[in-house]
Amino acid sequence: PENDRNYDGIPEWGHPMQTGFEEHPLFGGWHNWSRGLDISTVHSPALMAMLYREAKSLMEMAEILGNRTDTTTLKNQADLLMKRTQKCWDTRLAGFRYRDRDSGLTQRGKILASQRGSGTIKLKESFAKPVRLLVEVASKNHTSLRPIVIISGYVTKIGDGETLGQLDFQLRNDGAVATSHKVYERISSVIVEGVEEQDKVTIRTVDLTLEDQSHLLPLWAEMMNAQQAQALIGRTLLNAERFDRPFGIPACPSIPHKDAEAICQSVHLPWNQWVLEGLLAYGFRSDATRLFVHLMAGVQQNLKHNHAFYQSYNAEIGTGIGERNAVTGLAPVGLFLKLLGVQIYSDTRIRLEGQNP
């Protein structure tokens, strides 16, 4: 329950590190170009896909154990996860999207105002649909920052405005950032206190349109009908302008900032494996094989020239990124066997099926 902050039956991540992709341009806080959005304000298709897959596995266990009570509870939860994941589906873009936890919307962001130092920012902004705010403070003396921000505006059913204190701000290299707890239909003013005269304060609405590898996970969890799967695979996954790259599926197909290229172009083998398992589940063995060859090209290139595996690999040129000999960079042998149609039961018994691709 403590991870379901709006009590709708669907939990949210609590920290970017839980996702295995903590340098995400939208949620990360270590880089100047990352937004530092509070990840708990977002419903993630990846988290719902993971929980759905877990629920299905637990249902199989409960069936074997004859525990009908648990089966019913798990089925209800799985059905809710399926329903909410489908709400994240964008037919026009043939893919899943993040949705705001409270408004249920995926909107583009924009800068509303900026100023130097403390003071009152008059906005008088109205929005056709509720928006969430990001407050960014750029400061050279960010270690001594003590910002307090008072937002005055109209919040449907929740009252008026809020105050963001020091504990709401997350420090980063060039200052601090805070995410509003509420979503707003109108904003009249923002009062900023506790910042120095040369510090720059920027007020913007949250942008959830960035596409990343986690949006492909409902394919792995088998939460899509045949038509959706065909659209996502053909128009999104196998689209060279989006995820289909020479050395694997990149973390983010678009690069929001030039300094984010290394992060966005990184190929994370565990995430790629999940997606390829999804392709196999829907019968796209030849496409899965082709993408696996892309992955192995990067792995082999680094083994040959640098005698090492790497934490991740560049999607365009295949060079290693991050730690040397990290376990996440190992060649996925289990996936290789699945592609071949080989299942090992014991040291004397295997199953062969299909054709060797």
Side-chain angles (χ1 to χ4, degrees):
E2 64 272 18
N3 293 310
D4 179 14
R5 295 153 182 89
N6 62 339
Y7 311 109
D8 65 347
I10 300 296
E12 304 85 32
W13 294 117
H15 192 281
M17 287 186 70
Q18 294 175 314
T19 69
F21 183 25
E22 58 265 34
E23 292 188 296
H24 195 293
L26 185 57
F27 307 112
W30 299 109
H31 303 285
N32 297 347
W33 43 260
S34 56
R35 285 274 78 91
L37 174 67
D38 181 356
I39 199 170
S40 71
T41 64
V42 173
H43 276 162
S44 164
L47 177 56
M48 290 188 278
M50 291 176 177
L51 291 171
Y52 179 84
R53 177 92 174 214
E54 182 175 318
K56 299 290 279 188
S57 296
L58 290 169
M59 285 165 64
E60 290 183 22
M61 293 180 185
E63 286 285 349
I64 292 170
L65 295 171
N67 193 330
R68 294 183 179 179
T69 303
D70 284 349
T71 303
T72 302
T73 303
L74 288 162
K75 185 179 186 308
N76 290 338
Q77 188 64 32
D79 290 344
L80 178 60
L81 288 162
M82 173 68 83
K83 181 179 178 181
R84 293 302 175 85
T85 303
Q86 285 297 323
K87 286 188 175 182
C88 295
W89 174 254
D90 187 320
T91 302
R92 184 177 62 87
L93 294 174
F96 292 90
R97 292 289 180 268
Y98 293 116
R99 289 168 66 92
D100 185 90
R101 178 190 69 200
D102 299 317
S103 72
L105 300 172
T106 302
Q107 301 189 73
R108 291 194 175 278
K110 67 174 183 177
I111 294 176
L112 300 179
S114 62
Q115 72 171 27
R116 294 280 178 182
S118 300
T120 300
I121 302 174
K122 295 288 185 180
L123 286 172
K124 296 183 179 179
E125 290 271 358
S126 296
F127 308 97
K129 297 177 181 178
V131 299
R132 194 178 298 277
L133 301 183
L134 269 181
V135 180
E136 300 171 344
V137 180
S139 172
K140 292 182 179 179
N141 300 318
H142 60 276
T143 54
S144 60
L145 272 176
R146 298 291 185 272
I148 297 176
V149 173
I150 303 167
I151 303 171
S152 297
Y154 178 70
V155 184
T156 308
K157 300 179 182 179
I158 309 180
D160 182 64
E162 64 184 303
T163 299
L164 300 176
Q166 296 174 23
L167 295 178
D168 295 309
F169 278 85
Q170 173 187 346
L171 290 179
R172 57 184 190 182
N173 289 340
D174 66 339
V177 60
T179 306
S180 69
H181 300 292
K182 301 176 182 180
V183 293
Y184 292 86
E185 293 182 353
R186 291 199 303 270
I187 301 172
S188 54
S189 67
V190 177
I191 301 173
V192 181
E193 300 174 354
V195 300
E196 298 180 4
E197 288 184 6
Q198 67 271 25
D199 295 343
K200 183 179 180 181
V201 180
T202 302
I203 313 294
R204 68 171 76 233
T205 59
V206 169
D207 189 328
L208 292 180
T209 59
L210 181 68
E211 187 174 39
D212 69 66
Q213 61 191 354
S214 73
H215 296 159
L216 302 170
L217 239 59
L219 184 73
W220 164 77
E222 298 180 51
M223 303 177 77
M224 310 174 67
N225 60 42
Q227 185 177 0
Q228 282 180 320
Q230 181 74 53
L232 182 137
I233 293 167
R235 294 171 51 195
T236 302
L237 181 56
L238 301 181
N239 183 343
E241 294 182 358
R242 294 169 79 176
F243 285 104
D244 191 5
R245 303 297 169 83
F247 291 92
I249 300 166
C252 305
S254 61
I255 303 171
H257 190 282
K258 60 181 178 63
D259 294 334
E261 183 174 0
I263 301 298
C264 292
Q265 290 298 305
S266 59
V267 173
H268 299 257
L269 294 189
W271 287 92
N272 274 252
Q273 172 157 343
W274 289 328
V275 175
L276 268 61
E277 286 179 357
L279 286 171
L280 289 175
Y282 283 92
F284 290 82
R285 183 177 294 272
S286 61
D287 293 311
T289 302
R290 185 176 68 84
L291 292 176
F292 181 79
V293 170
H294 289 183
L295 291 180
M296 288 306 301
V299 173
Q300 289 175 311
Q301 174 178 300
N302 284 277
L303 272 177
K304 184 179 293 185
H305 297 295
N306 303 318
H307 310 293
F309 296 98
Y310 281 85
Q311 186 175 354
S312 59
Y313 303 90
N314 187 287
E316 294 290 350
I317 57 178
T319 53
I321 300 173
E323 295 179 36
R324 285 170 61 93
N325 293 322
V327 69
T328 53
L330 291 172
V333 179
L335 176 60
F336 177 63
L337 292 177
K338 285 181 181 179
L339 287 165
L340 293 182
V342 176
Q343 186 172 357
I344 300 175
Y345 292 103
S346 71
D347 56 356
T348 60
R349 186 163 168 259
I350 65 170
R351 173 189 177 91
L352 306 178
E353 62 182 358
Q355 293 185 348
N356 185 335

